[in-house]
Amino acid sequence: MKRLKIKNDHGWTPGTLRKQERKIKDASLRARVTAVRLVMEGYLGKDVAKMIHLCRQSVALYVSRFNEGGLDRLLDRRLPPGRMPFLTEEQQQELRQLVLTTTPVEVGWGIASSWNTRLLQSYIQQTYGVSMSREGIRKLLHRLRLSWTRPTYKLVKGDPVLQAAFEKELEFIKKN
C-alpha cells in the first residue's frame, strides 16, 4: 500500500491546521482538516482512519484534495443541485397566498372551512396540472413557512353588554 504524502502544503503547517480545526464548527469538515494534519505529521493513512473513525479511502481523498488546492479545496462541499421542484417559484407563492388569504369555500373548492393537503392536492392538479403526493405538499408548505393549526372561532355577533355582565357575575362567583 502506498504511503500518503502531502506534496504541496500551500503554506500550512500542522500548528496552523490545528488552529484552523478549532475554528471549524462542522464536525465532518473538522475531521477532514484533522486527517490532513495527522498525515502531515507523519501518520500512516490507515492509522489516521482508525484515529478519527473514517475509512482509509476517505483519508486518501482528503489528502489528494488538499494537495490539489489547499484548505479551500479540502473544505469545498459542492452538492448536486437536486431535483427540480414540481411548482415554479411563482406558483409556490400563489399557493402560499391562497392558503393564507382564502378558504376553500371562497374559491369554490368544496365546503371545508380550511385548507388541508387533500384539498390542496386536487387544487394543484386542477390549476397547475401537476400531480403531487400529500406528503410532498406538506413538505412544500413547510418550506413556505406555513404550519398547520386548527381553526379557531370568534363570536363576532356577541353582545358586548351581555358579555360584560357575564364577566361581572363570574368575578362575583369566584370571590364567594
Side-chain angles (χ1 to χ4, degrees), residues 67-156:
N67 285 333
E68 287 172 15
L71 197 63
D72 292 334
R73 175 73 173 108
L74 177 66
L75 299 179
D76 185 28
R77 289 176 94 175
R78 276 188 242 142
L79 299 174
R83 186 176 180 168
M84 292 295 294
F86 286 108
L87 299 176
T88 65
E89 192 64 37
E90 297 82 29
Q91 291 171 336
Q92 290 179 22
Q93 292 308 316
E94 286 175 19
L95 189 66
R96 185 176 199 280
Q97 288 305 315
L98 175 84
V99 170
L100 287 174
T101 60
T102 63
T103 63
V105 174
E106 293 172 356
V107 182
W109 207 264
I111 59 171
S113 61
S114 61
W115 290 101
N116 59 34
T117 54
R118 188 169 311 225
L119 288 172
L120 287 172
Q121 185 179 31
S122 58
Y123 179 83
I124 290 170
Q125 176 70 40
Q126 291 292 325
T127 307
Y128 304 117
V130 175
S131 178
M132 288 181 71
S133 69
R134 291 175 59 197
E135 180 65 13
I137 293 170
R138 187 192 66 75
K139 288 179 180 179
L140 170 67
L141 294 174
H142 181 75
R143 283 192 304 273
L144 295 174
R145 300 182 187 268
L146 296 174
S147 61
W148 182 82
T149 58
R150 291 188 184 273
T152 57
Y153 301 100
K154 293 183 180 178
L155 298 174
V156 180

Side-chain angles (χ1 to χ4, degrees), residues 2-100:
K2 192 174 170 185
R3 186 176 178 96
L4 295 175
K5 292 182 181 176
I6 303 294
K7 296 176 184 167
N8 186 354
D9 63 7
H10 300 279
W12 291 93
T13 64
T16 55
L17 283 176
R18 184 180 297 272
K19 287 178 184 175
Q20 191 65 30
E21 280 176 52
R22 291 186 186 124
K23 293 178 185 176
I24 298 173
K25 300 275 189 251
D26 189 345
S28 63
L29 295 180
R30 192 177 327 114
R32 292 179 183 198
V33 177
T34 303
V36 169
R37 179 183 54 82
L38 291 172
V39 169
M40 195 180 278
E41 290 174 352
Y43 289 94
L44 292 174
K46 64 180 183 177
D47 295 335
V48 172
K50 285 180 186 175
M51 290 165 69
I52 56 178
H53 306 292
L54 291 173
C55 67
R56 186 186 48 79
Q57 291 88 352
S58 295
V59 174
L61 177 69
Y62 298 156
V63 169
S64 68
R65 284 186 182 171
F66 183 79
N67 285 333
E68 287 172 15
L71 197 63
D72 292 334
R73 175 73 173 108
L74 177 66
L75 299 179
D76 185 28
R77 289 176 94 175
R78 276 188 242 142
L79 299 174
R83 186 176 180 168
M84 292 295 294
F86 286 108
L87 299 176
T88 65
E89 192 64 37
E90 297 82 29
Q91 291 171 336
Q92 290 179 22
Q93 292 308 316
E94 286 175 19
L95 189 66
R96 185 176 199 280
Q97 288 305 315
L98 175 84
V99 170
L100 287 174

